[in-house]
Amino acid sequence: MPMNHTHPYIGRFAPTPTGPLHFGSLVAALASYLDAKSQNGKWLLRIEDLDPPREDPNASTRIPKQLLEHGLQWDGDIQYQSQHSAQYEKALQTLVSSNHTFHCQCSRKQLATNNGLHLGPCLCLTQDNAAIRLQVPDANYAFTDGVYGHIEQNLHHQVGDPILKRKDGLYAYQLAVVVDDYLSCVNHVVRGVDLLDNTPRQLFLMECLGYPAPHYLHIPLITNPQGQKLSKQNQATAIDPSNAKDNLLAALQFLNQPINSAMRDMPITSLLQTASNSWQANLITPSHAGLI
Ligand code: GLU
């Protein structure tokens, strides 16, 4: 059972293996690495391979290789969500027993009338071919983000009841991320701002499970010339390892961190050490670009 959630710093990078790392995911990896290393913390790597049909079979091996090519060495063994089903089921059963869930057979089409939100328990008569949802309260959940400041959402009106286990038996990201961060004693989450509005529902889930909440720091997204978040869906290109130093410097620049000319001539390990010594998360500009 995890023991200490306050000390020392434990952070993580948790990519979904839908494709190789692109510049946007390198920025997220670097920010979480530097935030951890600047506080003498551990930096874990977790591959979020929960949804095989959406994944690129090569990405789970390619992403760690790309991180190492950029000097980003994680602590401990790589974790794979595909191997954690037993832990997710155990947490799910805790939520079922404490009446926080309900079965749901609603289709996307049915939910479209509420902007896709599921509002309150279902009238579904059987549990066959049903998803399991978390019933959220009509209450505001808030937190203070390290870059974006005070964030608050009414879970019922703005989020709806999230799926925890899908009809096809796959566990949902919302459940998996909360269980894994808890079991790995992660107490600092640094990730892309596209997940900022997922945080209040994750805080509620932690509360239901009796888990402590980590600190959060969301970082802006890299966008393509059309203003969309870089992603495999819009053909973001894989980062080129032969430009590793330039990629890191460009990522530091995007994160608004100090760069001195000597860094250009340093080996990557010294560059990362220097960047970690001068890391200041409060220099990051809280942009909402690329959010839909
Ligand atoms: N797997 C998610 C992604 O690649 C990140 C999840 C998280 O950091 O909480 O976007």
Side-chain angles (χ1 to χ4, degrees):
M1 185 54 65
M3 293 293 293
N4 190 336
H5 282 267
T6 48
H7 294 287
Y9 183 121
I10 302 182
R12 64 8 173 230
F13 177 53
T16 304
T18 45
L21 284 189
H22 50 73
F23 184 61
S25 37
L26 177 71
V27 168
L30 181 66
S32 63
Y33 174 89
L34 292 176
D35 201 60
K37 293 298 154 189
S38 66
Q39 296 177 62
N40 292 320
K42 288 203 187 311
W43 186 65
L44 312 181
L45 175 59
R46 181 173 72 234
I47 303 288
E48 300 210 318
D49 52 350
L50 277 177
D51 191 352
R54 281 188 56 224
E55 287 157 21
D56 164 356
N58 299 317
S60 291
T61 45
R62 189 148 173 217
I63 291 171
K65 193 165 167 279
Q66 289 175 296
L67 291 172
L68 293 179
E69 285 162 350
H70 289 78
L72 301 172
Q73 172 71 63
W74 55 90
D75 294 297
D77 293 334
I78 305 177
Q79 301 272 312
Y80 296 90
Q81 288 193 324
S82 55
Q83 295 171 7
H84 295 176
S85 299
Q87 287 93 318
Y88 304 147
E89 189 57 35
K90 201 169 156 211
L92 184 66
Q93 288 315 318
T94 304
L95 295 163
V96 170
S97 323
S98 51
N99 293 321
H100 283 296
T101 62
F102 61 88
H103 285 81
C104 166
Q105 293 168 314
C106 297
S107 64
R108 259 172 223 253
K109 206 169 155 196
Q110 283 170 287
L111 299 182
T113 47
N114 289 329
N115 284 332
L117 303 189
H118 196 291
L119 305 175
C122 254
L123 300 174
C124 301
L125 295 176
T126 89
Q127 299 188 357
D128 299 339
N129 191 30
I132 300 180
R133 288 184 185 268
L134 176 70
Q135 190 183 344
V136 297
D138 185 351
N140 286 11
Y141 273 69
F143 69 102
T144 303
D145 185 75
V147 170
Y148 288 83
H150 181 81
I151 303 292
E152 184 165 340
Q153 268 180 335
N154 178 287
L155 294 186
H156 179 71
H157 294 292
Q158 294 175 267
V159 178
D161 305 312
I163 288 186
L164 299 177
K165 190 175 184 181
R166 294 175 6 184
K167 282 183 193 173
D168 60 9
L170 293 180
Y171 295 94
Y173 157 71
Q174 306 295 348
L175 177 68
V177 70
V178 161
V179 171
D180 278 329
D181 282 342
Y182 173 67
L183 292 176
S184 307
C185 298
V186 166
N187 47 24
H188 286 77
V189 169
V190 178
R191 59 186 180 188
V193 69
D194 49 333
L195 292 167
L196 189 72
D197 70 354
N198 281 232
T199 308
R201 76 196 76 168
Q202 293 173 7
L203 289 169
F204 172 63
L205 193 44
M206 287 170 206
E207 186 181 288
C208 295
L209 288 163
Y211 299 167
H215 295 278
Y216 288 98
L217 197 153
H218 288 83
I219 55 161
L221 303 176
I222 303 285
T223 53
N224 66 14
Q226 291 75 43
Q228 301 159 321
K229 175 193 172 188
L230 279 193
S231 71
K232 196 182 160 223
Q233 286 70 31
N234 57 39
Q235 281 78 48
T237 47
I239 39 170
D240 176 358
S242 62
N243 290 334
K245 202 191 285 184
D246 288 343
N247 297 338
L248 289 169
L249 287 168
L252 284 172
Q253 190 171 11
F254 177 78
L255 292 163
N256 219 6
Q257 298 301 303
I259 296 175
N260 61 52
S261 51
M263 286 164 102
R264 297 183 194 282
D265 302 318
M266 290 175 183
I268 281 180
T269 42
S270 317
L271 187 159
L272 288 172
Q273 183 62 55
T274 307
S276 135
N277 294 344
S278 57
W279 172 252
Q280 288 177 69
N282 59 2
L283 296 178
I284 300 170
T285 313
S287 161
H288 290 271
L291 293 173
I292 314 152

